[in-house]
Amino acid sequence: MTLTQNRITDLFAQKSERLLNVYFTAGFPNLTDTTTILRGLQEAGVDLVEIGMPYSDPVADGETIQLSNGQALANGMSLKTLFAQLADCRTSATGNPVTVPILLMGYINPVLQFGVEKFCQKCQEVGVDGVILPDLPLDLFLEEYAPTFREYGILNVNLITPQTTEDRIRHIDTESDGFIYMVSSSSITGSVKGVSDSMMAYFERIQAMNLRNPRLIGFGINNHETFDMASQHANGAIVGSAFIRHLAEKGTSPESIRAFVETIRA
């Protein structure tokens, strides 16, 4: 798979409005739930799926996702196990091949321990299209890892925040493919309550920059109102903590997952 064949870039070439990306933690609530949730989200009509790689110190995440990481690790989830679970998800042999773009979200340390090239190779093998690594600086990525990611056709999605300068945003836009992850505020996941005037000003400022890459807004997107607001100022949004809470409370059945997605899309 080359970057021109990447499912993420193909998706944004076909659809530019109201895209829904849903995050869940691999191995939560139970170790074997990963592909069940993945297929449930596809059947419910989400546009992208973001699978969290559990880590013991998820610094960008709030209590909900932190707890899901801890439970997943206690269940025995690891990168090796995750890749094994995803091994056949793209094949018709399963009877229900996954076609939706898949991203892995997590932190650089487990990737380094696994081996960067081995990680990219396994992503390509199982059909992962991109990664989100919030603690990997763009400049370090470009200097050390970009050639390997490109060799295996894996996109590295970069984040911006309200504090990111315009020059830095332009640099990120130039060096990115796929989409830009707009963090809605300087906070951790699951902690944002409502939309403030400063957040709206930030959304409008980025919208006016006419960036090359599409944008998805994350952190604080937890219902139809916030999804609708984000979709008015970007190409769509990312839902994480709210879905984790739903899985914990309502389970992982296709019906449960569809009900959640319907509350977001309304």
Side-chain angles (χ1 to χ4, degrees):
M1 179 188 295
T2 65
L3 293 187
T4 55
Q5 297 171 317
N6 191 282
R7 295 178 189 87
I8 298 171
T9 53
D10 288 348
L11 170 65
F12 282 100
Q14 298 164 11
K15 184 176 180 180
S16 61
E17 297 180 341
R18 303 185 67 81
L19 284 97
L20 176 59
N21 178 6
V22 176
Y23 166 97
F24 71 94
T25 303
F28 174 86
N30 302 296
L31 181 63
T32 57
D33 285 337
T34 306
T35 54
T36 298
I37 297 170
L38 173 59
R39 289 193 168 89
L41 287 170
Q42 173 169 283
E43 291 170 7
V46 305
D47 299 293
L48 305 92
V49 175
E50 190 177 321
I51 303 177
M53 301 178 286
Y55 182 49
S56 58
D57 189 22
V59 293
D61 294 302
E63 181 180 15
T64 298
I65 293 180
Q66 284 185 23
L67 290 173
S68 72
N69 273 241
Q71 182 61 55
L73 291 171
N75 290 342
M77 179 52 69
S78 65
L79 272 178
K80 181 180 178 181
T81 299
L82 175 57
F83 285 130
Q85 290 179 346
L86 296 176
D88 297 324
C89 74
R90 297 290 193 191
T91 68
S92 57
T94 62
N96 183 20
V98 175
T99 58
V100 67
I102 298 172
L103 297 114
L104 297 185
M105 186 277 179
Y107 298 87
I108 188 62
N109 191 45
V111 176
L112 294 176
Q113 291 183 346
F114 192 82
V116 173
E117 182 163 10
K118 181 182 176 184
F119 174 81
C120 291
Q121 182 179 18
K122 294 301 292 184
C123 284
Q124 184 188 60
E125 284 179 7
V126 304
V128 168
D129 304 289
V131 300
I132 302 171
L133 301 168
D135 60 343
L136 175 60
L138 174 59
D139 296 338
L140 177 61
F141 169 76
L142 293 173
E143 181 178 344
E144 297 286 341
Y145 308 122
T148 303
F149 274 66
R150 288 170 182 150
E151 178 184 353
Y152 291 97
I154 309 302
L155 299 184
N156 177 47
V157 173
N158 294 289
L159 293 79
I160 63 173
T161 75
Q163 279 66 48
T164 309
T165 66
E166 180 171 341
D167 286 346
R168 184 68 176 172
I169 293 171
R170 296 286 185 195
H171 178 54
I172 289 171
D173 188 42
T174 298
E175 298 293 348
S176 295
D177 288 297
F179 66 93
I180 290 175
Y181 190 133
M182 281 182 64
V183 178
S184 67
S185 63
S186 299
S187 63
I188 54 177
T189 58
S191 64
V192 180
K193 307 298 182 184
V195 181
S196 66
D197 291 343
S198 61
M199 288 169 62
M200 291 299 294
Y202 162 57
F203 297 157
E204 292 168 1
R205 173 169 64 88
I206 302 304
Q207 193 172 18
M209 290 179 68
N210 294 316
L211 299 177
R212 178 177 69 90
N213 283 281
R215 307 171 317 282
L216 297 180
I217 296 175
F219 289 48
I221 311 303
N222 51 34
N223 54 29
H224 173 67
E225 181 182 9
T226 49
F227 174 72
D228 192 57
M229 174 276 303
S231 296
Q232 292 175 30
H233 294 90
N235 302 84
I238 301 166
V239 178
S241 297
F243 185 56
I244 296 294
R245 289 191 293 270
H246 178 86
L247 292 174
E249 296 169 3
K250 304 295 185 181
T252 63
S253 70
E255 296 78 15
S256 169
I257 292 172
R258 181 176 296 277
F260 175 84
V261 171
E262 287 176 352
T263 65
I264 301 297
R265 289 204 185 274

